[in-house]
Amino acid sequence: MELDWSILAEHQFRELLLAGMLYTLLIATVSTLLSLVLGTALAAARLAPSRWLAWPATAWVTLARHVPGVFWVLFFYFAFPELLPDDWGMVLNRWVHFALLAGVVGLTVDNATYVSDIVRNGVLAIPRGEQEAAKCCGLNPWQQWTCCLLPVTLRIVMPPLANRTIHNFKNSSLCMVIGVPELTWATQQIESLTFRGIEATLAATLFYVALASGVGAWARRLERSSKHQWRGASDVFQRERRALREQRLIARGWARIGRRLPREQVL
Amino acid sequence: MIELNGVHKRFGDKPVLRDATLRLAAGEVGMICGPSGSGKSTLLRTINRMEPIDSGDVRIDGRSVYEAGVDLCALRTRVGLVFQQFNLFSHLTALQNIVMPLVKVRRLARRAASAQALSLLRQFGLAHRADAYPDDLSGGERQRVAIIRCLALEPSVMLFDEPTSALDWRLRAEVASTLRGLADQGIALLVVTHDLDFACSLGDRFFLLEGGRLGEVDQGKLACCDPAFHGRLRQANLAFPRVAAVA
């Protein structure tokens, strides 16, 4: 069998593939970011001392985890507008980008359930003492999460979170079932128009592999930097570090010119 | 000033504190001894409301800790608790461990908080370790950072849970002098310890927690030499204090 790569250079198919790649990138990136936020919020709710928060969040995650991702995409595209008041449903159905929106929301809901589990397990892995220390320092619950729990949790959950992100990037192909012109949909179009599906499929495969490799490399880099204990991760403390460095330089200068530094007063 | 009035606390069916009553004035050092599992740490945790009590009352500087509408965050800045395992934030350096609560809780500007934290680190002989992460600090250094983290919030009461459990004799002496310095500043200190040498060298008042009952053993350090006290300590599986340390 001979492969004819020239069809990918033809204007209409090239445009189709490029648009597909852009849509895939857009769907995957937006749904991943949104699901990180939603998943973290769900994890916080599940760990909250209040049953009114913890129980609904746990019930939701349990339900959503047992439903296929494609179901959410179909649900938000076909069923959700029906649940809204008539006018709203009509407006949504007429909107040009509604399929894209439904796809992003469906993937977000699907991915958020797994993210919430990952984040929750990460928080539970933090030594209890650190959580209690945060309380004892007088930090409010929001500050406990943002200043103490999340930075440590991210360090712990980086590998499973990276895996999940790669999975979500691949799941963007589910949006083809509602007609979003993403990469897999574009590949299918080329195949049905030219009967030369292998070339288009191979090109799409390369793109998916590159995308997943990029995400993996980025996650590994983050993981490596977290192993260096988040040095430089927060600009909040950059100034202090600079001040310390300056103080050390000054101290060295004093030592060099042979003057005695004041002894540190020990209480 | 710390006041515990008839505090009762139980975990399920097991009573941990029965009618615990204690009064410690500003600048006093109270040492709490007792066998393992007798509820010493729980007693400390009830004072800053990390553990709720079943009945009774706890007052800090005359204000009830358990009345409705108490601002827990503000309360916990007034009542510093230094944990047995120190519990420093592992993702922050020594300096950042101190600066973060100052910025977030005391609402200090970062520059001012850093200056204050550095000055405290310098006071405690740790300025050269400001940039080190908790994993890179020794036990004694970690403990001093934990003390500074509490101290920076200017508490009126400080609670210590087994502060010498991980330290050698030299560091214990250092910690004792550090705590004495805090008491001299007018901070009331309540220290849970198994280390009677340490208790005798530091405490102003001594309490024994046995079977959920908290009793003051004697008002002076010489109480440690009392044979009856020794007998009770022996029952409680505690080590003998060295008489030389008492003298």
Side-chain angles (χ1 to χ4, degrees), chain B residues 103-166:
Chain B
V103 171
K104 299 291 175 187
V105 180
R106 300 296 298 264
R107 304 270 170 215
L108 287 187
R110 275 173 211 136
R111 193 178 287 264
S114 297
Q116 191 179 330
L118 270 173
S119 131
L120 280 166
L121 283 169
R122 210 168 286 132
Q123 264 190 339
F124 280 75
L126 281 175
H128 64 293
R129 304 293 278 152
D131 225 7
Y133 284 86
D135 285 348
D136 303 330
L137 295 172
S138 71
E141 287 171 339
R142 259 183 254 174
Q143 187 189 42
R144 277 180 284 167
V145 173
I147 293 174
I148 296 170
R149 188 174 63 182
C150 283
L151 198 59
L153 296 169
E154 296 172 9
S156 58
V157 167
M158 282 187 81
L159 314 170
F160 291 84
D161 193 358
E162 297 275 5
T164 56
S165 62

Side-chain angles (χ1 to χ4, degrees), chain A residues 129-130 132-133 135-139 143 147-148 151-152 155 229 231 236-237 240-241 265-267, chain B residues 45 48 73 76 83 87-91 96 99-100 104-105 110 114 122-123 127 131 133 149 153:
Chain A
E130 275 191 46
E132 291 192 335
K135 276 187 197 171
C136 283
C137 285
L139 299 176
Q143 290 167 336
C147 301
C148 301
V152 184
R155 194 164 60 173
Q229 298 182 306
R231 277 178 212 276
V236 172
F237 298 109
E240 292 148 25
R241 297 170 66 81
Q265 186 192 349
V266 180
L267 201 74
Chain B
R45 292 162 62 87
N48 70 350
C73 296
R76 285 171 183 157
F83 296 88
N87 296 344
L88 297 178
F89 304 124
S90 55
H91 63 296
Q96 291 164 357
V99 169
M100 192 266 281
K104 299 291 175 187
V105 180
R110 275 173 211 136
S114 297
R122 210 168 286 132
Q123 264 190 339
D131 225 7
Y133 284 86
R149 188 174 63 182
L153 296 169

Side-chain angles (χ1 to χ4, degrees), chain A residues 59-205:
Chain A
W60 171 254
V61 169
T62 310
L63 170 81
R65 209 171 35 190
H66 292 109
V67 172
V70 72
F71 166 84
W72 292 114
V73 174
L74 293 172
F75 171 81
F76 282 105
Y77 187 65
F78 292 113
F80 184 70
E82 303 294 321
L83 299 174
L84 295 176
D86 285 348
D87 295 348
W88 291 31
M90 293 278 278
V91 170
L92 267 185
N93 275 324
R94 280 182 193 157
W95 189 38
V96 177
H97 298 299
F98 177 55
L100 179 65
L101 178 71
V104 167
V105 174
L107 287 184
T108 300
V109 169
D110 181 49
N111 199 43
T113 55
Y114 295 96
V115 170
S116 88
D117 246 1
I118 292 170
V119 172
R120 179 173 166 272
N121 290 335
V123 172
L124 291 176
I126 298 175
R128 197 181 159 81
E130 275 191 46
Q131 302 179 35
E132 291 192 335
K135 276 187 197 171
C136 283
C137 285
L139 299 176
N140 62 35
W142 172 254
Q143 290 167 336
Q144 286 169 31
W145 265 85
T146 53
C147 301
C148 301
L149 298 184
L150 276 184
V152 184
T153 302
L154 278 180
R155 194 164 60 173
I156 296 169
V157 303
M158 191 54 73
L161 213 51
N163 275 343
R164 190 61 224 174
T165 303
I166 291 172
H167 199 75
N168 193 51
F169 268 61
K170 292 188 290 182
N171 268 358
S172 61
S173 60
L174 296 178
C175 293
M176 72 175 284
V177 299
I178 53 171
V180 178
E182 50 74 54
L183 190 55
T184 311
W185 182 89
T187 312
Q188 281 255 307
Q189 293 299 309
I190 295 171
E191 200 273 334
S192 56
L193 289 171
T194 63
F195 297 106
R196 303 204 68 93
I198 293 180
E199 291 85 346
T201 308
L202 279 175
T205 306

Side-chain angles (χ1 to χ4, degrees), chain B residues 50-69:
Chain B
M50 291 291 285
E51 287 285 351
I53 58 174
D54 296 330
S55 63
D57 192 23
V58 178
R59 288 177 176 271
I60 300 294
D61 299 330
R63 287 171 62 190
S64 175
V65 167
Y66 282 90
E67 70 187 12

